[in-house]
Amino acid sequence: MPPSMVGESAAGTLRRQVVRLALPAVGEQLLTLMVGIVNTMLVGHLGAEALTAVGLSSTIAGMAHIFISAVGTGTTAMVAQAVGAGNRPLAERFLEQAVMVALGLGLLVAIILFPLARGALVLMGAEGATVGMGATYLRCIAASLPFSVLMFVGNAALRGSGDTRSPMIVMSGVNLLNLLLSYGLIRGVGPLPELGVTGAGVAAATSTAAGGMVVLAALLSGRAGLRLSRLVNRPDRQVLTSLLRIGLPAGGESLLMHGAFLAYQRSISSLGTVAYAAYIIAQRIESLNSMPAMGFAIASTTLSGQAIGAGDPARARRSVFASLQLALCLAAVCATLSFTMPRFLLERFTQEPDVIAQGIAPLRVVAFAQPLMAIAFSLSGGLRGAGDTRSPMTITGIGSWCVRVPLAVLAVTVFDLGLAGVQASMMLDWLVRCILLGWRFRPAAWQQRTAKLSGELATAAANRAP
């Protein structure tokens, strides 16, 4: 076979691997987001105050997941590298330690968040009835956090092992249960009481807790070649050090991003309840459109990590760019829909004319950001799979705090550009990230980083060999 045909065959095989991992991951990410989207759609018909209560509470709950997401990032990367190196016992050791740490963090955050829910909403700018409704919703979410972390970290480990279907199936069940409970409890269907926003919180908490128990059962049974022997284990210093080496910068990245997001949202909330409600819907649509890119980022992380573990950094880099190309194709479709059909999309969430009118312009701005987000997600995922979480953290800090937040504040306080101006600052943030991530992904930097990591992984595996 001619070399060109060999190259084409290898590229085709790689793209099939990316699609095999990415499509279930896209489904999982979409279904994860749908819990919030379903609640937003059902609550949206209760009015702008109810919509704002759920939006602000969801943002605060997202802050609570920062360090848990750090554990998940470290778990995916280290499990993928161990599986790529053919060391399943080491992968299971990473899983056990990650679950133990995540459970402790989940319990701690729940204990802190429950009594502080009302104060947190006031700090976010909530007023009037929004505070009471949001506090109840947030406390429901806090109560489910220990189960939520089990689902989050367990799914992260399964993805690292190459199983992206099981997390998708779990999230399908979570969404179905959430839809049924939300519809019944918000509206009061049949024997169920009409609880409004509280019903949405109860539904989200119950469905998430059920998902956590299902993932736990799957890991205890040895799903995808990973068996969780126990929930609480003796701390393994070397394993925890490796997890934290990757996870802490990922947590720092999430902290920087969410902190900037809070400041960003604070600027938007100063525009009033109607404007904030319009932003929440536009943000939900933006998140929905970003799911394909996030799914391909997961494929990028898994394939990059497994290739690094197998000692093939060149294949790792090709995997990342294969993921990026496919993500860009889907991002173009989503961007086209956001730009050409903003009113139709907004009307799926609310029928209030003022909210729809204010949401059209920012949603069109979001369309231009979609391809940039696809590029940034794939490149960041590849770096994380290779164990480099410091670069994404630094780049996120630069983009969010040096670009997005100051420009958003200026758009509101100086130039009076409204929601469209605030969203434009978000687009410029993603543009800066793409440029910096591309520089970090240049061949010389990639070769240097992966050579160092391969040596570290070989030494670690030898030291921890059973």
Side-chain angles (χ1 to χ4, degrees):
M1 181 180 296
S4 60
M5 293 183 64
V6 173
E8 291 175 3
S9 177
T13 299
L14 185 58
R15 282 193 292 269
R16 285 192 292 272
Q17 288 179 324
V18 169
V19 171
R20 179 180 59 82
L21 288 172
L23 288 184
V26 169
E28 182 205 350
Q29 295 300 307
L30 178 62
L31 291 165
T32 300
L33 182 65
M34 284 303 294
V35 174
I37 287 180
V38 166
N39 287 343
T40 301
M41 292 177 72
L42 293 175
V43 168
H45 297 282
L46 300 178
E49 286 186 332
L51 188 61
T52 300
V54 172
L56 288 173
S57 299
S58 298
T59 299
I60 296 169
M63 287 289 291
H65 276 86
I66 285 176
F67 295 105
I68 298 166
S69 69
V71 177
T73 299
T75 302
T76 298
M78 298 311 298
V79 168
Q81 292 173 18
V83 169
N87 194 337
R88 289 279 175 177
L90 179 59
E92 291 179 348
R93 211 171 305 172
F94 279 121
L95 169 63
E96 290 177 355
Q97 297 293 302
V99 166
M100 181 178 66
V101 172
L103 266 178
L105 286 173
L107 288 168
L108 178 63
V109 172
I111 291 170
I112 294 173
L113 188 58
F114 202 86
L116 299 179
R118 193 176 188 90
L121 283 157
V122 172
L123 286 175
M124 284 292 295
E127 300 175 345
T130 299
V131 177
M133 289 188 290
T136 303
Y137 183 91
L138 188 54
R139 287 176 181 139
C140 291
I141 300 302
S144 68
L145 272 175
F147 302 98
S148 175
V149 299
L150 278 175
M151 182 170 66
F152 189 89
V153 174
N155 284 342
L158 290 171
R159 289 193 295 267
S161 71
D163 179 9
T164 54
R165 290 187 179 182
S166 295
M168 182 187 69
I169 293 171
V170 170
M171 289 311 304
S172 297
V174 169
N175 268 273
L176 179 60
L177 181 59
N178 178 67
L179 175 61
L180 294 175
L181 289 176
S182 291
Y183 185 81
L185 290 173
I186 290 174
R187 300 169 181 265
V189 177
L192 297 176
E194 182 179 349
L195 299 179
V197 172
T198 300
V202 171
T206 303
S207 58
T208 300
M213 297 305 295
V214 171
V215 171
L216 176 61
L219 292 173
L220 290 172
S221 67
R223 182 73 182 176
L226 291 176
R227 183 178 295 277
L228 179 65
S229 301
R230 56 186 70 86
L231 284 176
V232 180
N233 204 345
R234 179 182 301 175
D236 185 322
R237 181 179 297 178
Q238 291 180 326
V239 170
L240 288 175
T241 298
S242 295
L243 281 172
L244 294 176
R245 177 175 58 83
I246 295 177
L248 284 180
E253 179 187 358
S254 294
L255 184 62
L256 288 168
M257 183 62 188
H258 279 80
F261 195 57
L262 288 176
Y264 178 73
Q265 285 198 320
R266 191 68 181 84
S267 297
I268 296 170
S269 64
S270 68
L271 297 174
T273 300
V274 172
Y276 190 82
Y279 162 73
I280 287 296
I281 295 176
Q283 193 268 337
R284 287 282 190 267
I285 296 170
E286 171 198 329
S287 299
L288 185 62
N289 288 345
S290 300
M291 288 304 101
M294 294 183 70
F296 282 101
I298 289 171
S300 178
T301 299
T302 299
L303 291 173
S304 175
Q306 291 183 354
I308 293 296
D312 191 349
R315 179 162 63 89
R317 193 168 188 274
R318 291 195 302 271
S319 299
V320 174
F321 282 100
S323 299
L324 188 154
Q325 291 167 3
L326 293 170
L328 268 177
C329 293
L330 290 178
V333 175
C334 294
T336 300
L337 292 175
S338 293
F339 189 82
T340 59
M341 304 171 60
R343 180 175 294 276
F344 173 82
L345 295 174
L346 290 163
E347 287 175 348
R348 301 311 99 194
F349 292 85
T350 183
Q351 297 299 317
E352 295 194 16
D354 291 344
V355 175
I356 294 171
Q358 291 208 37
I360 291 175
L363 194 55
R364 281 182 167 151
V365 174
V366 166
F368 291 97
Q370 297 289 170
L372 300 174
M373 294 168 71
I375 295 171
F377 285 157
S378 293
L379 294 181
S380 295
L383 289 173
R384 293 188 189 100
D388 181 5
T389 49
R390 291 185 180 181
S391 294
M393 178 188 70
T394 303
I395 292 168
T396 294
I398 293 171
S400 58
W401 283 102
C402 298
V403 179
R404 181 184 298 208
V405 171
L407 290 182
V409 172
L410 289 173
V412 172
T413 61
V414 177
F415 299 108
D416 194 24
L417 296 176
L419 281 178
V422 174
Q423 291 292 70
S425 72
M426 175 270 294
M427 182 184 67
L428 293 174
D429 168 15
W430 285 109
L431 176 60
V432 169
R433 292 195 214 187
C434 286
I435 294 170
L436 295 177
L437 285 166
W439 175 254
R440 187 64 185 87
F441 233 91
R442 68 193 191 279
W446 177 257
Q447 184 176 1
Q448 181 181 10
R449 172 59 190 157
T450 53
K452 179 182 177 182
L453 179 65
S454 296
E456 291 174 353
L457 185 62
T459 301
N463 289 340
R464 298 177 198 136

